[in-house]
Amino acid sequence: MRNKVYEFLRTIPEGKVVTYGQIAEYLGNKKLSRAVGRILHNNPDESRYHCYKVVDRNGRLSKAFAFGGIEGQKERLEKEGIIVENYRVSLEKHGYNITFSK
């Protein structure tokens, strides 16, 4: 499961974010959001697997972001041109819309 999460991170285009739930859905079970969070927190290579592009279902950043906390996540997102207001990203504007085939 861990490898699939990291593979998914590599598909997110620049300037876009995804939610924990989207990754869980990619894994085949929407209820795996918390497990996805734990996997991301143990990311072995942040430069290769851009876990900073993952936000909660409301677009909020993670207070427990493993690479510099919420400020580190905010900084990385803004470097990609993603607008962060009050530690939240507009999913309407910056969300990566993915269609999953069943």
Side-chain angles (χ1 to χ4, degrees):
M1 182 166 92
R2 182 178 63 238
N3 290 337
K4 285 189 154 207
V5 170
Y6 295 139
E7 286 172 23
F8 185 88
L9 292 177
R10 295 177 52 84
T11 69
I12 306 166
E14 186 169 331
K16 295 294 182 183
V17 297
V18 297
T19 66
Y20 297 98
Q22 283 178 293
I23 297 174
E25 187 174 357
Y26 167 77
L27 295 172
N29 185 344
K30 291 182 183 182
K31 295 180 181 183
L32 291 174
S33 295
R34 288 184 187 268
V36 168
R38 284 190 296 278
I39 290 168
L40 295 177
H41 191 72
N42 293 302
N43 182 350
D45 188 350
E46 187 237 355
S47 64
R48 185 170 180 199
Y49 306 115
H50 298 160
C51 57
Y52 64 88
K53 294 183 176 203
V54 184
V55 296
D56 78 6
R57 66 182 176 186
N58 296 308
R60 290 185 297 239
L61 308 190
S62 173
K63 293 177 185 173
F65 180 66
F67 302 96
I70 199 167
E71 290 295 332
Q73 185 178 17
K74 180 178 184 278
E75 180 181 309
R76 286 165 177 82
L77 291 170
E78 289 176 337
K79 280 184 182 177
E80 282 199 22
I82 296 171
I83 299 166
V84 179
E85 294 180 353
N86 297 319
Y87 301 100
R88 184 176 280 181
V89 171
S90 167
L91 294 175
E92 190 173 295
K93 182 172 184 170
H94 298 291
Y96 181 34
N97 294 318
I98 307 156
T99 305
F100 297 101
S101 57
K102 300 207 178 202

